[in-house]
Amino acid sequence: MIENFQSFLKLRPRSNWEACDSGILIWRNSIAYILLFMGIPFLCCVVFFVFLTPQIKIFGTIILWWLNPFFDRFILHVISVRFFKKDADCKTIAKGLIKSIFKGLIGDIVWRRFSIYRAARLPVRILEGNKGKMIKRRIKTLKNGGLDFCALLSGICIMLEIVLFGGFAIFLYGFFAEYSDFTFDLISNYSLQVSLVILFLASLIILIVEPLYMCMGFALYINSRSVVEGWDIELEFNAIIKSKQSESVDMKKTVFGKTIPLAVFILILSNVIQPLQAQEWHQNNLEKVPTEILDEILSSEDFGGSHTRKWIRFKELHTDESFSGFNFDEKNLREIAGIVLRALLTALIIIGLFFAAYRLYKSKKLFQNNFVPWRKKIVPGFVHKENPQTLINDAEKLFRDGQIRKAWSFCLSAVLGLYSEYGNIIFAVNDTESDCLVRINNSALWGKEDSARLILNWIKLAYADIEPSPEQFSSAVFFYGELKNKLSAAGDINE
């Protein structure tokens, strides 16, 4: 998927809330295919519960809700295919669907059924194909990128389901009480009909909320990989290499002698047509609009005014004492609904305040200055602060001793030390590998592509445990020598 990456959404590190917003874009891009692939088995289950025996039909809503992890697999498969290939059709999406549905299904509907991290952790178990301890290791790694933000997302979606269910229930009660003399006293006599109504309401809410919940969780998973593993850098670097290769092939196939006459012809044609079009437009629009017409337009209702509208509101309650209805005091129904909605809103605000306080406590960025004053030899926190030449010598020694990870760390530190000492690039102590690459690309210094290749190899080794080849390490050491010569000869470019 990485080599054929054609996503409509640009990958970059985002905040947790921004990642959830990008999940809404994923939902909009794939909602038709989600309703097709997830809706068919879902509606089959609903129809099956409708024709069950009366004793089991009452529990149909609970069983349907319990099977949400099963339907989530259809959603995850659709959005994962559509995310990596934006123009994927039904035939492309259907490939591998059966394999994705039953992978880890028993655990998700039994002991992991009440997990509040389901939407964000489900891709780790299904899409990555991990098993056993590797799943726990991957989840522990991706927690540093905000994977557990899904807990708050689950709480918000649960509140949304409660509000939707309460709103639909109040609407239906008002409708039937108005036209059918339906009261709460009749619920016990029509329990089967009421259970069917609840089943249909629950089905509608699941079709609305569950795809949105899974898309936001998938966006959190993608963002966690971008933050922790530098996935966005890897995909962007591969795209740059692939585009350069395609450009070189196209240049070889192009006949230089045919392009020059064509370009001259297009240039002459454009200079002739554009003045004619401009002159024609000027002649057609030379006449001014009369003032009377403008006054008539400005005085119309389209430019202002006010009028009374009828809004949806609670129906007027009966004041006749002879009216027989709900014995619970039907006059207080509006007040009860208001109290419930206010309580839900208050609970949501309290949860948001607690979460904001927790994030403020965990984030050191709000209580300290993220920037450092300009001076040489400022390097990020993950970089060693010794002399660059000493670091590169130690890196070669460590590589010969078999300490590959430490050798690459020293080599990267040496290169960033050169950029800081000789190139005067301003690094911050809290810069990540992605931030360092951005600062190097924004400068006018030599070695941007080699720096990107070095940082990409380090990210694969440090975060994905993919060890580069010995030739790549030799190339990195050789790049250090060339960079030192270039920067030393050019002097302090940024000063």
Side-chain angles (χ1 to χ4, degrees):
M1 287 185 178
I2 293 179
E3 295 180 356
N4 299 323
F5 185 71
Q6 300 175 0
S7 178
F8 66 96
L9 184 66
K10 181 176 177 58
L11 279 183
R12 61 175 176 83
R14 293 177 168 87
S15 65
N16 294 327
W17 289 109
E18 191 178 4
C20 291
D21 289 339
S22 65
I24 298 177
L25 298 179
I26 297 174
W27 176 82
R28 290 177 57 186
N29 181 64
S30 305
I31 183 60
Y33 295 92
I34 290 174
L35 294 179
L36 177 63
F37 284 85
M38 176 253 191
I40 294 176
F42 182 82
L43 293 178
C44 290
C45 290
V46 173
V47 173
F48 174 76
F49 291 135
V50 169
F51 290 98
L52 286 176
T53 59
Q55 291 75 17
I56 303 178
K57 188 184 299 184
I58 299 176
F59 300 99
T61 304
I62 299 176
I63 299 173
L64 190 68
W65 172 81
W66 193 272
L67 293 176
N68 272 345
F70 172 73
F71 303 118
D72 290 345
R73 281 161 160 75
F74 292 90
I75 302 173
L76 179 61
H77 182 80
V78 172
I79 61 179
S80 62
V81 175
R82 293 276 299 174
F83 180 80
F84 290 98
K85 193 173 183 180
K86 59 183 179 181
D87 56 350
D89 53 5
C90 295
K91 185 177 180 180
T92 305
I93 296 174
K95 295 180 180 179
L97 178 62
I98 303 299
K99 184 179 179 181
S100 300
I101 292 174
F102 298 99
K103 186 181 296 183
L105 178 61
I106 297 178
D108 286 335
I109 62 176
V110 181
W111 58 84
R112 288 192 299 267
R113 178 58 188 85
F114 294 99
S115 174
I116 56 179
Y117 309 103
R118 182 176 76 245
R121 294 185 179 182
L122 204 60
V124 179
R125 289 191 294 270
I126 296 179
L127 301 182
E128 295 185 6
N130 298 316
K131 296 181 180 180
K133 295 183 179 180
M134 189 60 188
I135 296 178
K136 296 181 179 179
R137 180 181 174 183
R138 290 286 298 149
I139 291 175
K140 185 178 180 181
T141 302
L142 295 179
K143 281 182 180 180
N144 299 323
L147 193 70
D148 284 352
F149 186 82
C150 187
L152 179 62
L153 177 63
S154 300
I156 294 174
C157 289
I158 290 174
M159 298 292 292
L160 179 61
E161 289 179 344
I162 294 174
V163 171
L164 289 176
F165 187 87
F168 288 153
I170 293 174
F171 173 79
L172 289 177
Y173 170 73
F175 177 82
F176 286 106
E178 177 72 18
Y179 297 101
S180 303
D181 294 331
F182 177 81
T183 63
F184 277 89
D185 296 333
L186 301 177
I187 290 180
S188 59
N189 298 330
Y190 297 94
S191 58
L192 294 180
Q193 290 78 358
V194 172
S195 65
L196 284 178
V197 172
I198 294 175
L199 177 62
F200 292 145
L201 285 181
S203 304
L204 179 61
I205 292 172
I206 291 174
L207 284 176
I208 295 174
V209 179
E210 201 65 18
L212 191 61
Y213 171 63
M214 284 301 301
C215 291
M216 290 184 175
F218 180 75
L220 286 175
Y221 162 75
I222 295 294
N223 187 62
S224 299
R225 294 200 62 174
S226 298
V227 173
V228 175
E229 301 175 351
W231 209 20
D232 53 329
I233 301 176
E234 180 181 354
L235 293 175
E236 185 175 1
F237 185 75
N238 290 338
I240 292 173
I241 296 176
K242 189 175 181 180
S243 63
K244 289 187 176 181
Q245 292 176 351
S246 61
E247 288 177 1
S248 62
V249 173
D250 293 336
M251 288 298 294
K252 293 179 181 178
K253 294 182 179 180
T254 304
V255 180
F256 183 73
K258 295 182 180 180
T259 56
I260 293 180
L262 181 61
V264 173
F265 176 77
I266 293 175
L267 181 62
I268 296 174
L269 186 62
S270 62
N271 290 331
V272 172
I273 293 177
Q274 289 181 359
L276 294 177
Q277 292 178 346
Q279 184 177 3
E280 182 182 356
W281 182 91
H282 177 72
Q283 293 175 355
N284 293 335
N285 294 275
L286 185 61
E287 183 180 358
K288 295 183 179 179
V289 179
T291 307
E292 296 78 7
I293 297 178
L294 292 177
D295 293 337
E296 182 180 354
I297 294 174
L298 294 175
S299 62
S300 65
E301 294 183 356
D302 295 335
F303 282 84
S306 61
H307 57 277
T308 305
R309 293 179 179 272
K310 293 183 179 181
W311 299 92
I312 298 177
R313 58 182 180 180
F314 287 92
K315 66 184 183 64
E316 296 293 334
L317 300 177
H318 293 272
T319 57
D320 188 4
E321 297 180 355
S322 62
F323 176 75
S324 60
F326 179 38
N327 294 333
F328 184 69
D329 190 4
E330 211 172 24
K331 298 178 181 180
N332 297 327
L333 182 60
R334 181 167 50 189
E335 297 180 4
I336 294 173
I339 292 173
V340 172
L341 293 177
R342 285 194 294 271
L344 293 175
L345 181 60
T346 304
L348 186 61
I349 293 174
I350 292 174
I351 292 174
L353 291 176
F354 273 106
F355 179 76
Y358 173 76
R359 295 298 298 177
L360 289 175
Y361 174 77
K362 295 290 290 184
S363 177
K364 302 293 185 181
K365 296 181 180 179
L366 298 178
F367 301 99
Q368 65 183 10
N369 188 9
N370 292 334
F371 300 96
V372 297
W374 183 91
R375 60 183 183 274
K376 290 184 178 182
K377 297 183 180 179
I378 293 296
V379 295
F382 66 89
V383 175
H384 304 280
K385 299 181 180 180
E386 289 81 3
N387 182 270
Q389 188 60 43
T390 304
L391 289 172
I392 200 67
N393 294 335
D394 293 341
E396 293 178 338
K397 182 179 178 181
L398 291 169
F399 189 80
R400 288 193 298 269
D401 294 340
Q403 301 184 36
I404 306 301
R405 183 187 182 93
K406 201 169 183 180
W408 275 97
S409 173
F410 276 56
C411 184
L412 177 61
S413 301
V415 171
L416 294 181
L418 286 180
Y419 276 117
S420 175
E421 183 175 355
Y422 295 100
N424 286 339
I425 292 183
I426 306 172
F427 293 110
V429 177
N430 60 339
D431 276 350
T432 62
E433 291 88 342
S434 177
D435 297 330
C436 294
L437 182 58
V438 170
R439 295 184 188 276
I440 294 173
N441 288 333
N442 291 336
S443 68
L445 300 177
W446 178 84
K448 295 180 182 180
E449 293 187 4
D450 292 326
S451 300
R453 189 175 292 107
L454 173 61
I455 292 176
L456 178 62
N457 289 331
W458 163 249
I459 289 173
K460 289 182 178 180
L461 176 61
Y463 301 108
D465 202 19
I466 300 175
E467 183 177 322
S469 63
E471 292 78 10
Q472 290 175 316
F473 182 79
S474 301
S475 300
V477 175
F478 180 74
F479 165 63
Y480 168 84
E482 284 189 322
L483 179 64
K484 185 176 181 180
N485 295 332
K486 294 281 187 181
L487 296 181
S488 300
D492 292 340
I493 296 178
N494 290 343
E495 286 187 341

